[in-house]
Amino acid sequence: CECSYCTAPGVPNPVSKSNYSNRYFYFYGKILDQARKVNPEARIIILLYSDCTLNVPDIKIHPGIIGMGTNRADFDGFARQGLKRMGVWDHHLDRSYPLVRHFPKFMAARLRRLHKKGLSEYFGEVYMIHAANGPKQYILGRLLWDIDCDIDKVMMEYCTKAFGKEAVPERMCGATDAR
């Protein structure tokens, strides 16, 4: 909102044209205060996205807010402001690329780092091209089940299940060790 109340000097957490986060986080905090009068465990999930909530606010974040961040979100900054539960809204939108981006070790390292910072929610936006995107989704599923799984072993497992025991995983899937 850009009404005179929301942008007036002296109003708690005023907004600027480039940062609406203070106002949104203040608003969500007030809603949660009211909701917790009825249900002390009430929570709200918000998307950390665009001018509304992508920028880290200057205020402390209500403990009932769960922030779902995209690749651009400053998870460290949100954690410093009190965001205790975080999630990632991942984009695996390979339809725009000439080749499917296959980056299982990078994906694993990123999810493990975010998990240590409090990541507890995950949403993957996927346009499934199964033959090409299947390995990535298989590994992602295993990571979400067991964050410490061995990526090379999971890739070998996928190749064996998908292509048979006679497949040569180190050539087909980029695995680092043979069966």
Side-chain angles (χ1 to χ4, degrees):
C1 179
E2 295 179 18
C3 74
S4 59
Y5 172 76
C6 289
T7 57
V11 172
N13 314 308
V15 297
S16 68
K17 295 285 185 193
S18 63
N19 186 354
Y20 292 89
S21 289
N22 285 338
R23 176 53 59 186
Y24 275 87
F25 280 96
Y26 179 79
F27 172 77
Y28 293 134
K30 291 298 181 189
I31 295 295
L32 277 167
D33 287 341
Q34 293 300 312
R36 285 186 164 196
K37 290 178 183 176
V38 176
N39 178 357
E41 299 299 316
R43 300 209 185 284
I44 188 170
I45 296 177
I46 65 169
L47 186 58
L48 307 175
Y49 197 75
S50 189
D51 291 341
C52 300
T53 53
L54 180 62
N55 296 312
V56 177
D58 300 329
I59 62 171
K60 281 293 186 193
I61 297 173
H62 192 287
I65 293 176
I66 301 168
M68 294 292 288
T70 62
N71 294 332
R72 294 176 41 213
D74 178 0
F75 289 101
D76 294 328
F78 284 107
R80 282 191 299 274
Q81 288 305 99
L83 190 62
K84 303 289 184 218
R85 282 187 65 187
M86 291 181 267
V88 66
W89 184 298
D90 234 342
H91 297 100
H92 297 281
L93 308 177
D94 293 320
R95 71 182 191 287
S96 302
Y97 299 91
L99 295 172
V100 172
R101 300 169 302 150
H102 185 69
F103 46 88
K105 291 186 179 180
F106 171 79
M107 184 171 58
R110 180 172 171 265
L111 286 175
R112 289 171 180 151
R113 182 180 60 82
L114 293 172
H115 184 260
K116 287 179 184 174
K117 294 187 180 307
L119 176 82
S120 61
E121 317 296 325
Y122 184 87
F123 180 86
E125 190 171 341
V126 177
Y127 290 101
M128 193 60 167
I129 309 163
H130 188 71
N133 215 343
K136 183 172 27 176
Q137 298 310 309
Y138 188 84
I139 290 172
L140 178 61
R142 290 291 297 277
L143 279 167
L144 294 174
W145 187 263
D146 174 10
I147 196 73
D148 296 315
C149 67
D150 182 316
I151 299 304
D152 289 330
K153 286 182 181 178
V154 173
M155 192 73 243
M156 295 281 284
E157 178 183 296
Y158 175 84
C159 288
T160 301
K161 288 180 176 180
F163 305 110
K165 292 180 181 180
E166 301 304 315
V168 183
E170 64 272 10
R171 290 187 188 148
M172 293 179 67
C173 301
T176 57
D177 55 37
R179 282 184 276 150

